[in-house]
Amino acid sequence: MPSEGSERTVARRIPLNGPRIETLTEGWSMTVAASGEWQIPADIPAETQWHAARVPGTAARALTDAGLYDPENPDPLHDKDVWYRARITPRTTGRHTIVFEGLATIAEGWLDGEPILISDSMFAAQEVEVELSGDAELCLCFRALEPHLSRKGPRAKWRTQLAKSQGLRLIRTTLLGHMPGWCPEIHAVGPWRPVSMFSAQDTFAEIVEIRSDLLEDGTGKLDISLRLADDPRNVYLACAGQMAEFLRDETGQLRASLEIPDVEPWWPHTHGTSRLYDVVLVLGDELVHLMRTGFRRIEIDRGADGTEFALKINGERIFCRGAVWTNADLLSLPGDRESYRPWLELAREANMNMLRVGGTMVYETRDFFELCDELGILVWHDFQFANFDYPVKDPEFADKVSREAEAFLAATQGSPSFAVACGGSEILQQAAMMGLPPERWSGPLTNEILLEATTRQRPDVAYVENSPSGGAMPFSPNEGVTHYFGVSAYRAPIEDARRADVKFAAECLAFANVPEPVTVETRLPAGIGHSPEWKARVPRDRGVGWDFEDIRDHYVEYLYGEKPLDLRYGDPERYLDLGRAAVAEVMEAVFAEWRREGSRTAGGLIWNYQDLMPGLGWGVVDATGEPKSAWYALKRAFRPLQIALTNEGTNGLDVHLINDTAETRPVTVELACLRDGRIPVVSGSMEIDLGRHCAQKVAATQIIGAFFDTTYAFRFGPPAHDVTVARMSDRETGEELAHAFQFPLGRGKALHANDIAVTLETPSEGEAMLVLSCDCFAQSVHIRDDGFRPSDNWFHLAPGREKRIRLTRRHGIPADRQPSGEVAALGSSRRFTYSAG
């Protein structure tokens, strides 16, 4: 008889006699029934219609593939039972183990009609030992979640507005699909993580623990413990040219430790090389690849007064910039490399060096971390707890949480990109905002259970109790970790980014970001800015009288002096273009403040990285994978070699130079103040050796060499200029590294009609080069080419210099299609076309 499943931390198994772990992906089908209609597989009528299903995957994905589900207008799934079945064929007869890495959420399983498992957590893996003599039918039922949501649990200290059901605090499942105004109500149901099987005859090395550290003297230290079924002799660990013998300890495990002198450390890609080393098990003449790891050291820097929060990597204070990751695909909840890859490569291309997985998402897989290791992207990962008062005084619930945390952390061991483990999202903030006293904000969940799990499994990562946390109020921006929406949701002027004295923004700058025209035209409803269908795609917080399109409109008027309501009536296309330009300008300006010399801000993560459905979401990349104007702005704002301008009033204009790289860079800085966008009133240049990992400030008057009212603060007569242009270039090659602009009279006063010269260089191998120049300053220049993505967009173009834009063929575009598109600027209705033909 089959044995009942056990919830456990699934070991990382490395086959020793060939690739013997079979992932059960073929032959699955699914069907949907009323809640409780069938109790066991034998109850299912023979005439029931089944639909092909992907595993790993979700019921929503399978129903969509069958044409029975509309992700943009989803039907509820948590009030139904969902059944899956498949025929499994073992390679041999005898004892086998079936591994279920994730079942969402209340699940039962049968093999040939005999019960084998019961699971009540989406985040818990199950292993089942079974006897197989031939083909067998594996059947899974995912019970309706709705009856469980209505059950009463221990009394909560507060109620959250985030989710519809307070019962979600009692069940270990994702909040995705349960947050109105936040994401579509696509419910996670099904075998969302792989199902696999192996035989008792197969042999493995089971990795129990991997620790890789960088000591202060530059030595890399690698410790590994594992289990082998038999007792082999001469088993060695090899890494970076060093070897050490495995020795069996008193528990029966094999342990080995290596020290690698002067190892090349792992850095986030913005600050150095993300060096990885192969870790190899040597079994006699056999070499078994275990994994790749990197050596780095992480510390939290609290600053001289203890109020700061910064990460130090390998002893260097790092400015962390990036965004809050949502999901590679809300419909499928994938966890494989190829689903992650395009999103993570876009993040790296945008010079992001950190992604945060918030507590309202899901646990991401080892594939996610391995790609981040390779790409040099730091990961801040919340445990999956948010906003609720969780019943951790219940011993059974507390034990479930502890095992969940241990399993997640164990799966990430050896991953150098994992930088911060966080106890969850907005739990302390929710309690504080409900008026509870400080002693009731937190408790054993974040102070004990999750902290202890992290200390045991990943002592090499930083632990944060909750996001936000650390100030007089948990969300106070001037201490610890904050969620900063002063600029954006609270409509503060850009100077509030400095006034708030933000230390580390684990969330910030939320807008209803407008997708590029191709997405608007093909995936969004008509009725720009006002129809109910359009507004349904705009995110909003529950219980407020505004949405995040209103916030974007506020900054359109703030920056350009135009009335968004009038534009929506009379010129909806310009309305969208101004919205795209406004969020790009705000983001660049805020990060100029936060990255400058003298700022105590050590990080900013945009809310969010990608949209969960096509629309005007918080994401800087839309749900189709197309970057929005905000993504391009962040790509510029996050450059490792950066120049920025800040208006210091009567102190003039400050020029900020930043070098995050590991080498000193000899640069030339040029500055010009232009009248009417074309005539240089004053200009100057300066040569500087910009030190490694540093920020430096230079007054504009130092570069010009004399007094000039660069900020129009003294107002001695009419203004002399309307835009200041700054460039930083490599002194040896002349290559432009970065540029910046400042508008003493405001952006609305620097909108000029102009001629833009457009040249398309001969395309080859899926890429082409667009060369642009102009006769007059062009603001928020944007390129539309539905077949090719530009390397930069929504940028400013100054006269007198060419700008080269790489065009890359988009995924799915035929190889014989050539670039063809148009270029426009915000200050003019003219369109300048180009074509390879």
Side-chain angles (χ1 to χ4, degrees):
M1 291 289 292
S3 63
E4 196 164 305
S6 62
E7 183 181 319
R8 57 161 291 181
T9 298
V10 173
R12 209 184 311 175
R13 296 183 174 92
I14 311 298
L16 298 181
N17 58 349
R20 296 299 186 184
I21 299 178
E22 298 177 76
T23 303
L24 305 178
T25 60
E26 302 298 326
W28 287 91
S29 57
M30 60 83 64
T31 191
V32 179
S35 176
E37 183 175 358
W38 308 320
Q39 295 301 309
I40 59 174
D43 294 341
I44 303 174
E47 65 273 16
T48 297
Q49 185 178 9
W50 293 79
H51 309 284
R54 309 181 198 181
V55 173
T58 67
R61 174 78 270 173
L63 291 169
T64 300
D65 291 344
L68 301 173
Y69 189 83
D70 181 1
E72 297 186 4
N73 298 283
D75 294 323
L77 290 174
H78 277 340
D79 59 351
K80 304 173 180 66
D81 288 350
V82 176
W83 292 78
Y84 278 74
R85 69 180 183 185
R87 297 295 296 178
I88 59 175
T89 303
R91 287 178 288 101
T92 62
T93 61
R95 204 74 174 160
H96 285 72
T97 298
I98 304 177
V99 181
F100 303 88
E101 294 187 29
L103 302 171
T105 291
I106 308 298
E108 300 172 47
W110 297 264
L111 190 69
D112 282 341
E114 295 293 329
I116 59 171
L117 72 85
I118 296 173
S119 178
D120 62 357
S121 171
M122 178 178 178
F123 305 127
Q126 297 269 357
E127 291 196 351
V128 179
E129 290 189 359
V130 297
E131 194 75 28
L132 292 173
S133 58
D135 285 4
E137 182 179 75
L138 178 60
C139 191
L140 299 171
C141 179
F142 298 89
R143 297 296 183 186
L145 194 62
E146 191 172 67
H148 298 269
L149 295 177
S150 60
R151 290 179 181 172
K152 300 296 183 183
R155 183 179 177 85
K157 294 193 290 285
W158 66 82
R159 295 173 63 88
T160 180
Q161 286 292 310
L162 176 70
K164 275 186 174 180
S165 173
Q166 301 300 309
L168 286 163
R169 73 188 186 97
L170 307 175
I171 301 169
R172 298 308 300 137
T173 193
T174 181
L175 294 181
L176 290 172
H178 295 277
M179 299 173 286
W182 200 100
C183 67
E185 293 188 50
I186 296 174
H187 297 144
V189 181
W192 72 295
R193 289 290 184 246
V195 179
S196 57
M197 179 176 68
F198 60 89
S199 167
Q201 301 173 32
D202 298 326
T203 58
F204 303 93
E206 288 192 2
I207 298 175
V208 178
E209 183 178 73
I210 294 179
R211 298 277 170 83
S212 54
D213 292 296
L214 181 69
L215 305 183
E216 291 192 17
D217 66 359
T219 299
K221 193 170 188 304
L222 180 64
D223 296 287
I224 294 186
S225 63
L226 50 82
R227 286 189 289 263
L228 293 178
D230 26 2
D231 191 9
R233 305 293 180 182
N234 302 320
V235 184
Y236 289 89
L237 171 66
C239 182
Q242 305 290 316
M243 289 185 67
E245 187 175 6
F246 276 97
L247 301 175
R248 197 173 293 276
D249 66 13
E250 64 278 4
T251 69
Q253 295 178 8
L254 293 172
R255 295 183 180 273
S257 181
L258 274 180
E259 289 195 356
I260 306 166
D262 299 318
V263 74
E264 185 178 349
W266 184 94
W267 290 93
H269 74 95
T270 50
H271 287 69
T273 302
S274 307
R275 182 70 163 91
L276 295 173
Y277 291 88
D278 290 322
V279 179
V280 176
L281 181 67
V282 182
L283 288 167
D285 294 332
E286 185 180 5
L287 302 180
V288 180
H289 184 270
L290 297 180
M291 64 174 301
R292 298 174 78 200
T293 194
F295 299 90
R296 56 96 181 103
R297 185 173 67 259
I298 291 180
E299 304 158 89
I300 296 177
D301 182 359
R302 298 288 183 181
D305 62 0
T307 67
E308 298 184 27
F309 181 93
L311 290 185
K312 294 177 73 173
I313 310 292
N314 308 329
E316 294 286 348
R317 184 174 166 122
I318 301 292
F319 185 90
C320 299
R321 64 273 202 170
V324 178
W325 171 271
T326 53
N327 199 272
D329 179 7
L330 179 62
L331 196 60
S332 302
L333 302 179
D336 60 287
R337 287 176 68 91
E338 293 314 303
S339 295
Y340 290 133
R341 183 180 295 279
W343 297 102
L344 294 177
E345 288 179 344
L346 268 181
R348 180 189 164 104
E349 184 183 340
N351 297 310
M352 296 183 181
N353 65 15
M354 176 175 275
L355 291 171
R356 172 178 166 234
V357 181
T360 53
M361 317 298 181
V362 298
Y363 292 104
E364 296 300 344
T365 67
R366 181 156 185 86
D367 280 357
F368 178 86
F369 285 91
E370 288 180 350
L371 273 170
C372 289
D373 294 343
E374 296 168 18
L375 296 171
I377 300 172
L378 297 165
V379 179
W380 171 313
H381 205 303
D382 288 7
F383 293 98
Q384 293 307 294
F385 300 93
N387 294 73
F388 287 108
D389 177 26
Y390 292 93
V392 290
K393 291 184 179 180
D394 175 356
E396 183 179 344
F397 188 88
D399 181 61
K400 186 188 301 292
V401 167
S402 181
R403 285 183 280 117
E404 173 185 310
E406 295 263 0
F408 164 64
L409 292 164
T412 71
Q413 286 185 349
S415 170
S417 63
F418 194 1
V420 178
C422 178
S425 173
E426 296 190 350
I427 297 173
L428 278 64
Q429 172 177 302
Q430 188 79 65
M433 285 190 165
M434 296 301 291
L436 296 178
E439 61 271 16
R440 301 187 69 186
W441 296 347
S442 61
L445 173 64
T446 58
N447 289 339
E448 298 172 19
I449 298 172
L450 301 177
L451 170 61
E452 290 169 3
T454 304
T455 302
R456 284 192 299 271
Q457 297 287 349
R458 287 302 305 256
D460 61 317
V461 307
Y463 180 78
V464 174
E465 179 188 4
N466 204 242
S467 181
S469 59
M473 289 283 109
F475 44 84
S476 299
N478 63 353
E479 188 169 348
V481 174
T482 191
H483 292 178
Y484 173 75
F485 299 109
V487 176
S488 71
Y490 308 139
R491 299 187 300 166
I494 288 173
E495 54 264 29
D496 187 71
R498 181 184 300 194
R499 180 174 60 228
D501 194 20
V502 174
K503 299 306 190 300
F504 193 107
E507 296 177 11
C508 62
L509 303 181
F511 297 94
N513 292 312
V514 183
E516 288 296 279
V518 63
T519 302
V520 172
E521 293 169 8
T522 60
R523 302 298 299 273
L524 270 65
I528 290 174
H530 61 81
S531 72
E533 294 81 11
W534 178 275
K535 280 295 188 182
R537 304 294 184 91
V538 176
R540 64 184 305 130
D541 289 332
R542 293 182 76 192
V544 299
W546 49 271
D547 61 29
F548 282 84
E549 187 160 59
D550 298 329
I551 300 304
R552 189 190 70 234
D553 287 352
H554 167 80
Y555 285 94
V556 167
E557 187 168 359
Y558 168 78
L559 293 179
Y560 303 105
E562 300 214 32
K563 299 290 186 183
L565 182 61
D566 294 341
L567 290 167
R568 276 164 40 191
Y569 271 92
D571 193 345
E573 296 303 321
R574 180 170 170 76
Y575 167 74
L576 294 184
D577 279 347
L578 279 167
R580 295 180 179 110
V583 296
E585 291 293 281
V586 169
M587 289 186 180
E588 286 200 74
V590 167
F591 278 96
E593 287 287 356
W594 287 351
R595 292 186 68 191
R596 63 182 171 81
E597 181 191 52
S599 167
R600 296 202 295 171
T601 307
L605 307 178
I606 300 295
W607 182 264
N608 278 320
Y609 179 57
Q610 72 270 67
D611 287 344
L612 292 168
M613 67 177 294
L616 295 98
W618 289 306
V620 300
V621 180
D622 76 27
T624 73
E626 179 70 21
K628 303 182 191 180
S629 63
W631 181 89
Y632 291 102
L634 294 173
K635 182 179 179 180
R636 296 187 292 269
F638 291 167
R639 287 178 287 219
L641 287 160
Q642 175 69 321
I643 187 170
L645 302 175
T646 60
N647 185 332
E648 305 299 327
T650 53
N651 286 318
L653 192 66
D654 276 351
V655 182
H656 301 277
L657 308 174
I658 299 164
N659 178 13
D660 283 339
T661 72
E663 299 177 352
T664 296
R665 295 296 296 264
V667 300
T668 299
V669 179
E670 301 170 81
L671 193 76
C673 298
L674 307 181
R675 177 188 298 139
D676 299 328
R678 67 174 76 225
I679 303 169
V681 180
V682 294
S683 62
S685 66
M686 177 182 288
E687 293 186 348
I688 296 174
D689 289 330
L690 192 56
R692 62 186 292 275
H693 298 159
C694 83
Q696 184 174 338
K697 178 180 69 176
V698 181
T701 49
Q702 287 181 261
I703 299 172
I704 296 169
F707 169 74
F708 181 75
D709 192 3
T710 50
T711 58
Y712 193 51
F714 294 92
R715 300 180 182 269
F716 296 152
H721 69 298
D722 57 7
V723 61
T724 298
V725 182
R727 292 188 181 90
M728 180 169 67
S729 57
D730 186 286
R731 193 190 310 161
E732 297 172 355
T733 66
E735 175 193 3
E736 182 175 286
L737 303 171
H739 52 263
F741 302 86
Q742 202 275 331
F743 306 92
L745 310 178
R747 290 163 178 80
K749 298 292 187 181
L751 295 172
H752 301 289
N754 43 54
D755 284 314
I756 300 177
V758 182
T759 303
L760 181 66
E761 294 186 350
T762 306
S764 62
E765 298 182 1
E767 289 191 352
M769 192 66 71
L770 201 61
V771 183
L772 306 180
S773 61
C774 63
D775 64 331
C776 180
F777 173 73
Q779 193 171 161
S780 297
V781 176
H782 40 285
I783 300 164
R784 177 170 183 178
D785 188 323
D786 292 350
F788 288 72
R789 178 172 64 83
S791 58
D792 199 4
N793 214 351
W794 296 95
F795 54 84
H796 303 323
L797 186 62
R801 294 287 183 95
E802 288 186 341
K803 184 174 179 67
R804 300 174 67 82
I805 306 293
R806 186 179 67 257
L807 301 176
T808 304
R809 182 177 286 112
R810 288 187 167 89
H811 178 72
I813 297 299
D816 59 353
R817 179 165 172 176
Q818 298 299 315
S820 178
E822 64 179 27
V823 179
L826 202 60
S828 172
S829 60
R830 298 181 66 186
R831 299 289 185 268
F832 304 89
T833 61
Y834 63 88
S835 174

